[in-house]
Amino acid sequence: IEQAHNDMAMGEALFDEMVNTQFEECIICPICQRNNLFKLNHKIVCNCGIELYGQSNLILSQIGESLRVAADLHSNSCNQIPLFSIEADEHLSVLSMQCNFCKFVYRIP
């Protein structure tokens, strides 16, 4: 019974975070390019499985703005499509954008 109660509480927390996120700007996950990113507890996550964590005060709108800045900087000098990746260890994960054509690299803060 206790496990069922814990599972229900976790489900309610997830639902609350997803509802709150809907009122924020929608930011498409740069990895899967299908789902929206959303904040869950102290992480930015996607249903595809990526997690950004370890940085204090992760804010979804700042991630979106950093993605726009990176895309603008890259597109000023290159018309190729960049790739995104996550570098992670147990304490920190970082989203990076890189272009194999022009060698552009940008770490999304």
Side-chain angles (χ1 to χ4, degrees):
I1 293 176
E2 185 176 328
Q3 180 63 37
H5 180 65
N6 289 340
D7 290 347
M8 191 167 64
M10 177 72 123
E12 289 174 3
L14 176 60
F15 178 75
D16 288 346
E17 288 293 334
M18 290 175 71
V19 167
N20 291 336
T21 299
Q22 288 182 355
F23 295 108
E24 296 180 24
E25 178 183 7
C26 292
I27 299 167
I28 300 294
C29 173
I31 303 293
C32 72
Q33 298 181 3
R34 289 187 311 257
N35 303 313
N36 289 329
L37 296 174
F38 59 95
K39 188 154 187 177
L40 179 61
N41 299 323
H42 301 290
K43 299 176 183 178
I44 302 292
V45 299
C46 175
N47 290 333
C48 73
I50 72 154
E51 295 183 346
L52 297 174
Y53 55 86
Q55 301 172 31
S56 62
N57 299 325
L58 282 173
I59 299 172
L60 195 56
S61 61
Q62 288 178 338
I63 300 290
E65 181 60 24
S66 292
L67 287 167
R68 279 188 286 283
V69 167
D72 288 346
L73 288 172
H74 175 257
S75 66
N76 285 335
S77 60
C78 183
N79 63 359
Q80 299 298 309
I81 297 172
L83 303 172
F84 291 88
S85 62
I86 299 283
E87 301 167 25
D89 62 26
E90 64 270 8
H91 303 291
L92 178 69
S93 65
V94 177
L95 177 63
S96 295
M97 183 177 108
Q98 55 201 30
C99 178
N100 292 333
F101 183 78
C102 71
K103 306 302 182 209
F104 178 87
V105 176
Y106 190 92
R107 296 183 90 178
I108 309 297

